[in-house]
């Protein structure tokens, strides 16, 4: 697999993802640019998918969770067209994870702050078809329109004014994001039905049986999507009663806060350690070897579920219908204040639900943990479980 593009520091891309100035420029500068590019493409005549396309580019520039979900359609695309060259365009937000995917023929990291360089990077791949899997950013729509591809496919998302430059437009729906991805590759003749499936070394990364806790949501509305720290401490005590150690994951930007919490847990007699800031290879091994994973609704949750790890997600503003984990062994613990969530694209705000994560109790999570592991034990005792665990 080819890997290209300039790597950006993790702290920099963390700031870029939630940067209000970049979002402002993307909307108010991006919309007129997309409209103008759309007019140019419209004047050149109607375009359809060429019969003999050879290279397809997929724009997946948002977060890690988006890349995990996209892995399902990438796999189906490869099975449908084994002769095609698949290029995955990412940004610093998800490039580290995307480089672990084995199916794409090339991974190209694009600079968010340097649009002309990003356009040059896309055009250099000579794609016959560009499929934009993003839902709202005009940055991606501009890249698609300037890609030099024979045909572009993208989403019409209400209120985002980003669809004008696509040759084939697919309407955004408020069902699971994976279903939106599947509809976007359908014009290529790809019937996508697989679930995300990741592989990693399942040798336990820690000697004692352990649970992984992921406290840190990414992207917008981080505080609103976080579970109170004292609840995580209480949950760690509950897991200790179940004879489990705990490992806390996080990005490099979460290292200091995670280290402080781990020190506090150790002072209380809990076998705890920090894995914040670890490489993706180390993190995948940690998740794959865990007895179970408890996470807020964010990218690590999608990774854990795709690895087949028993995964419990804490849902507040983010609803499972749109963004739930997809895997063999998953449980949702939804806030009673917002059982279906309200986020669609991820950046909406509703002050009625600012404290909705506080409505999730430790007892609710502990009960979900016990129920899930009864299910896991039954499935793993079945003779067909070894095969079922590997079926897409």
């Amino acid at each position: 697999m080819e890997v290209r593009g300039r790597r950006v520091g993790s702290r920099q891309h963390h700031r870029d993802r939630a940067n209000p100035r970049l979002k402002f420029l993307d909307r108010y500068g991006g919309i007129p640019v997309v409209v103008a590019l759309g007019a140019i493409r419209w004047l050149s005549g109607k375009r359809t998918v060429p019969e003999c396309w050879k290279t397809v580019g997929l724009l997946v520039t948002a977060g890690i969770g988006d890349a995990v979900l996209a892995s399902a359609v990438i796999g189906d695309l490869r099975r449908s067209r084994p002769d095609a060259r698949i290029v995955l365009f990412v940004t610093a937000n998800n490039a580290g994870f995307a480089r672990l995917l084995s199916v794409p023929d090339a991974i190209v990291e694009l600079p968010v702050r340097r649009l002309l360089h990003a356009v040059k990077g896309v055009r250099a791949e000579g794609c016959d078809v560009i499929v934009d899997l993003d839902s709202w950013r005009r940055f991606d729509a501009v890249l698609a329109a300037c890609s030099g591809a024979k045909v572009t496919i993208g989403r019409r998302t209400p209120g985002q004014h980003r669809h004008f430059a696509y040759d084939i437009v697919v309407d955004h729906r408020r069902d699971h994001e994976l279903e939106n991805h599947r509809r976007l590759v359908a014009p290529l003749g790809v019937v996508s039905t697989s679930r995300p499936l990741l592989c990693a070394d399942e040798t336990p990364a820690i000697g004692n049986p352990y649970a992984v806790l992921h406290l840190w949501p990414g992207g917008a509305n981080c505080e609103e999507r976080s579970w109170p720290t004292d609840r995580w401490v209480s949950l760690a005590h509950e897991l200790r009663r179940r004879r489990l150690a705990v490992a806390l994951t996080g990005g490099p930007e979460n290292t200091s806060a995670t280290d402080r919490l781990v020190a506090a847990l150790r002072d209380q007699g809990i076998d705890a350690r920090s894995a914040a800031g670890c490489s993706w290879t180390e993190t995948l091994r940690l998740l794959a070897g865990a007895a179970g994973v408890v996470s807020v609704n964010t990218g690590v949750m999608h990774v854990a579920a795709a690895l087949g790890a028993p995964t419990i997600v804490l849902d507040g503003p983010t609803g499972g219908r749109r963004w739930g984990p997809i895997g063999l062994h998953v449980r949702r613990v939804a806030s009673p204040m917002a059982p279906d969530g309200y986020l669609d694209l991820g950046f909406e705000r509703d002050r009625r639900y600012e404290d909705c994560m506080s409505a999730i109790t430790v007892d609710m999570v502990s009960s979900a943990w016990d129920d899930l592991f009864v299910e896991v034990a039954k499935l793993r005792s079945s003779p067909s479980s070894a095969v079922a665990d590997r079926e897409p």
Side-chain angles (χ1 to χ4, degrees):
M1 178 181 66
E2 305 168 66
V3 178
R4 288 186 290 285
R6 173 176 168 268
R7 297 194 182 195
V8 178
S10 58
R11 294 183 187 277
Q12 178 65 57
H13 76 68
H14 177 70
R15 290 194 296 269
D16 284 351
R17 186 176 179 192
N19 189 313
R21 183 182 178 187
L22 289 179
K23 288 184 176 180
F24 180 89
L25 291 173
D26 180 83
R27 182 172 183 86
Y28 294 102
I31 290 175
V33 171
V34 170
V35 172
L37 291 171
I40 294 171
R41 290 187 76 88
W42 180 79
L43 289 172
S44 67
K46 183 176 177 59
R47 304 177 185 222
T48 58
V49 177
E51 292 184 7
C52 299
W53 61 269
K54 296 180 179 179
T55 300
V56 58
L58 303 174
L59 287 164
V60 187
T61 67
I64 294 162
D66 301 86
V68 175
L69 297 176
S71 70
V73 298
I74 294 171
D76 288 330
L77 182 55
R78 171 63 74 213
R79 283 182 283 274
S80 176
R81 284 291 306 271
D83 59 318
R85 180 169 177 264
I86 301 174
V87 182
L88 188 61
F89 296 104
V90 297
T91 63
N93 288 331
N94 54 11
F97 170 79
R99 292 186 180 101
L100 299 177
L101 300 177
S102 60
V103 175
D105 298 288
I107 303 289
V108 180
E109 182 179 337
L110 305 173
V112 173
R113 293 171 178 257
R114 303 171 70 187
L115 179 59
L116 292 180
H117 284 76
V119 169
K120 187 180 295 185
V122 175
R123 291 183 68 89
E125 298 304 317
C127 297
D128 299 306
V129 181
I130 287 285
V131 182
D132 178 7
L133 296 180
D134 191 49
S135 58
W136 64 269
R137 290 207 298 187
R138 273 61 54 171
F139 173 80
D140 304 77
V142 171
L143 293 179
C146 297
S147 64
K150 296 175 183 176
V151 67
T152 61
I153 304 170
R155 212 183 303 194
R156 175 167 38 216
T157 305
Q160 301 309 307
H161 312 292
R162 64 188 305 274
H163 62 281
F164 302 104
Y166 299 122
D167 301 306
I168 298 174
V169 175
V170 176
D171 284 322
H172 170 84
R173 298 181 190 172
R174 294 194 65 168
D175 50 9
H176 200 282
E177 188 68 351
L178 178 54
E179 297 303 321
N180 282 307
H181 289 350
R182 287 170 171 160
R183 285 189 286 270
L184 285 162
V185 297
L188 300 179
V190 177
V191 178
S192 178
T193 57
S194 299
R195 60 176 173 83
L197 186 62
L198 303 176
C199 297
D201 182 357
E202 296 184 11
T203 305
I206 299 174
N208 299 328
Y210 63 93
V212 172
L213 308 181
H214 187 78
L215 291 62
W216 315 110
N221 300 4
C222 292
E223 292 184 5
E224 188 177 331
R225 295 162 52 218
S226 298
W227 203 36
T229 302
D230 63 316
R231 307 282 176 90
W232 288 108
V233 172
S234 297
L235 178 62
H237 281 282
E238 289 295 324
L239 294 170
R240 181 192 179 195
R241 294 187 185 98
R242 290 159 176 79
R243 300 181 180 180
L244 293 169
V246 294
L248 279 62
T249 51
E253 69 279 2
N254 308 127
T255 301
S256 297
T258 303
D259 288 345
R260 289 194 297 270
L261 182 54
V262 165
L265 292 173
R266 287 177 175 172
D267 288 342
Q268 298 175 41
I270 294 172
D271 182 0
R273 62 203 69 196
S274 172
C278 288
S279 70
W280 269 110
T281 300
E282 296 172 299
T283 301
L284 260 66
R285 182 186 172 197
L286 185 73
L287 295 169
V293 179
V294 183
S295 174
V296 292
N297 196 314
T298 194
V300 167
M301 166 208 75
H302 288 291
V303 173
L307 286 168
T311 303
I312 294 173
V313 54
L314 311 183
D315 278 344
T318 311
R321 181 170 176 265
R322 273 286 289 135
W323 296 104
I326 298 177
L328 289 172
H329 312 297
V330 298
R331 278 286 190 282
R332 287 185 62 228
V333 180
S335 168
M337 289 178 60
D340 297 318
Y342 71 85
L343 293 178
D344 177 22
L345 305 179
F347 53 77
E348 301 90 347
R349 298 301 300 266
D350 190 328
R351 294 189 175 182
R352 293 175 298 172
Y353 304 111
E354 287 180 346
D355 298 320
C356 66
M357 290 292 285
S358 297
I360 298 175
T361 67
V362 176
D363 285 343
M364 292 165 65
V365 181
S366 298
S367 177
W369 178 280
D370 294 337
D371 288 346
L372 178 59
F373 279 85
V374 169
E375 173 189 296
V376 170
K378 288 181 179 178
L379 287 174
R380 289 182 177 172
S381 64
S382 169
S384 60
S385 62
V387 174
D389 279 356
R390 289 166 176 77
E391 289 181 347

